[in-house]
Amino acid sequence: SRKRKIGAFLGSLLVHAIMYGLALATVAPFLWMFFTSLKDLPDILTYPPRWIPERMTLDNYISAFEAAPFGRYYFNSLFVSLAVTIGQLITCSMAAYAFARLQFRGRDLLFYLFLGTMMIPGQVTMIPAFMVLHWLGWVDTYYALIVPGLASAFGTFLLRQFFLTIPRDLEDAASLDGCSKFGVL
């Protein structure tokens, strides 16, 4: 029993050592990048390279922020990603609810056609999408970044599958309490 415990401990120790080694191998490039960003140019070019610089400096960060308007870049990324996320939540949830709960003629065929659009590569639609954006005068605007991403067949499919798992009894209870279809959604 004692030998078994020692064997289990050594096995566990070996597994932990391997995992810590793999974790270090994963983190090492990020550490190298960070420490290199704190070096002067001569320190970056020294051979053999050193992990930790003798003299750390923030001059590289200051130069980078003076060279480009990173604040504006960050705002653009944040604004576009939030707008697309909120837009997809709205459009995909409404479409998914319609495909999951509403009964109308041709619903399944329309859903399968909608799913079929996922098989079309983005490279095929890139030029026609650009032409439409150019025709609308939206090139170099936020509209061109946001509007094409407002609807997604994949998001609609995922939400439809989720809505199908919700019991209809909840929907019936909401209807009895006076909710409209939009209220049930």
Side-chain angles (χ1 to χ4, degrees):
S1 168
R2 185 165 185 215
K3 285 184 180 183
R4 183 180 253 182
K5 286 182 181 180
I6 292 173
F9 174 75
L10 290 176
S12 175
L13 189 66
L14 178 66
V15 167
H16 279 80
I18 291 171
M19 296 304 270
Y20 284 125
L22 290 173
L24 182 63
T26 302
V27 171
F30 296 104
L31 289 174
W32 177 259
M33 178 178 62
F34 173 71
F35 286 126
T36 301
S37 74
L38 298 175
K39 296 178 184 179
D40 286 331
L41 186 61
D43 288 337
I44 292 172
L45 301 175
T46 59
Y47 185 81
R50 293 183 179 191
W51 272 85
I52 300 174
E54 289 180 17
R55 186 177 85 72
M56 293 187 191
T57 180
L58 295 175
D59 291 342
N60 295 329
Y61 288 100
I62 294 168
S63 298
F65 280 97
E66 288 174 352
F70 282 106
R72 183 65 189 189
Y73 296 161
Y74 183 74
F75 170 77
N76 288 344
S77 298
L78 190 66
F79 177 70
V80 170
S81 61
L82 283 174
V84 169
T85 301
I86 291 168
Q88 277 206 14
L89 282 172
I90 293 168
T91 59
C92 292
S93 62
M94 288 192 297
Y97 179 76
F99 283 131
R101 295 295 193 205
L102 302 182
Q103 299 295 326
F104 56 90
R105 210 165 132 218
R107 178 188 72 169
D108 293 336
L109 176 63
L110 184 61
F111 178 68
Y112 292 130
L113 288 172
F114 195 66
L115 272 185
T117 63
M118 288 176 39
M119 289 188 254
I120 301 170
Q123 294 87 340
V124 172
T125 61
M126 190 181 302
I127 292 174
F130 175 78
M131 291 171 65
V132 168
L133 293 173
H134 184 70
W135 177 71
L136 291 171
W138 287 359
V139 176
D140 289 334
T141 66
Y142 285 121
Y143 298 120
L145 296 173
I146 296 169
V147 172
L150 287 181
S152 158
F154 184 68
T156 303
F157 170 72
L158 284 179
L159 283 171
R160 176 189 174 267
Q161 296 306 106
F162 170 71
F163 288 153
L164 289 175
T165 64
I166 297 173
R168 283 200 182 266
D169 296 339
L170 290 175
E171 184 178 341
D172 294 339
S175 296
L176 288 174
D177 287 341
C179 279
S180 64
K181 290 290 185 188
F182 190 74
V184 170
L185 168 64

